[in-house]
């Protein structure tokens, strides 16, 4: 009988710790970090938050949960940090692994400082539509509708108010 009780407790505790975040919960928990990044790097908080929501499935993706990678950033050749392998466009692709969510947000901001994104920093900080189109044009994601996805998420959740 004790064995069954232990099994039930393990199942129940696993369900408690693996609850799924809604978009609203994710925004509430992490909007301050997106705003902090905006103030530090001049990247609209609405863009950062929308990218995190899309790329991490509201923080529920395997990559976000196990690697704290909330932006789907791959290793690329210059990455010196920890790595994880995950199926994406191709099988077993290398993704960056972080120790904390803040590290993920910080690396995302620094990632956008690359030459291919520099034109975005000439845009007004509250022009999320042009930022979204610029990210798509610069090739941040392979989805041909990426800019529309960002804009839809921003407008659906009033994320432009964060800017």
């Amino acid at each position: 009988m004790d064995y069954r009780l232990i099994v039930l407790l393990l199942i129940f505790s696993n369900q408690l710790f693996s609850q799924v975040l809604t978009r609203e919960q994710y925004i509430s928990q992490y909007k301050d970090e997106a705003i902090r990044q905006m103030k530090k790097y001049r990247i609209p908080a609405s863009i950062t938050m929308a990218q995190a929501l899309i790329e991490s499935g509201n923080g529920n993706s395997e990559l976000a949960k196990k690697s704290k990678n909330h932006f789907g950033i791959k290793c690329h050749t210059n990455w010196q940090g920890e790595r994880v392998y995950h199926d994406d466009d191709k099988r077993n692709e290398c993704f960056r692994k972080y120790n904390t969510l803040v590290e993920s947000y910080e690396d995302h901001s620094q990632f956008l400082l690359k030459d291919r994104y520099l034109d975005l920093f000439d845009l007004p900080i509250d022009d999320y539509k042009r930022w979204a189109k610029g990210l798509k044009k610069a090739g941040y994601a392979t989805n041909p509708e990426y800019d529309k996805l960002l804009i839809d998420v921003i407008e659906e959740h009033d994320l432009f108010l964060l800017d």
Side-chain angles (χ1 to χ4, degrees), residues 46-138:
S46 61
I47 288 290
T48 298
M49 183 56 64
Q51 285 191 281
L53 289 165
I54 291 167
E55 298 292 341
S56 75
N58 311 327
N60 297 310
S61 73
E62 182 180 342
L63 193 60
K65 285 184 173 183
K66 292 186 177 179
S67 310
K68 298 190 178 49
N69 186 332
H70 285 244
F71 297 92
I73 299 178
K74 295 179 181 170
C75 294
H76 304 287
T77 55
N78 62 343
W79 178 246
Q80 300 297 315
E82 289 187 68
R83 301 160 181 257
V84 294
Y85 296 87
H86 183 76
D87 293 348
D88 191 43
D89 295 328
K90 298 176 187 168
R91 254 186 118 225
N92 210 27
E93 291 188 89
C94 183
F95 285 86
R96 298 176 184 198
K97 181 179 181 185
Y98 307 100
N99 293 315
T100 66
L101 175 120
V102 172
E103 284 180 19
S104 179
Y105 272 70
E106 184 72 22
D107 190 50
H108 169 261
S109 295
Q110 292 178 14
F111 186 82
L112 293 183
L113 296 177
K114 290 181 175 190
D115 287 345
R116 73 184 196 183
Y117 302 111
L118 284 182
D119 289 345
L120 295 172
F121 292 89
D122 294 333
L123 299 173
I125 200 151
D126 60 351
D127 193 347
Y128 65 88
K129 289 182 180 179
R130 287 176 53 200
W131 267 84
K133 291 174 184 178
L135 284 169
K136 177 191 166 197
K137 183 178 177 184

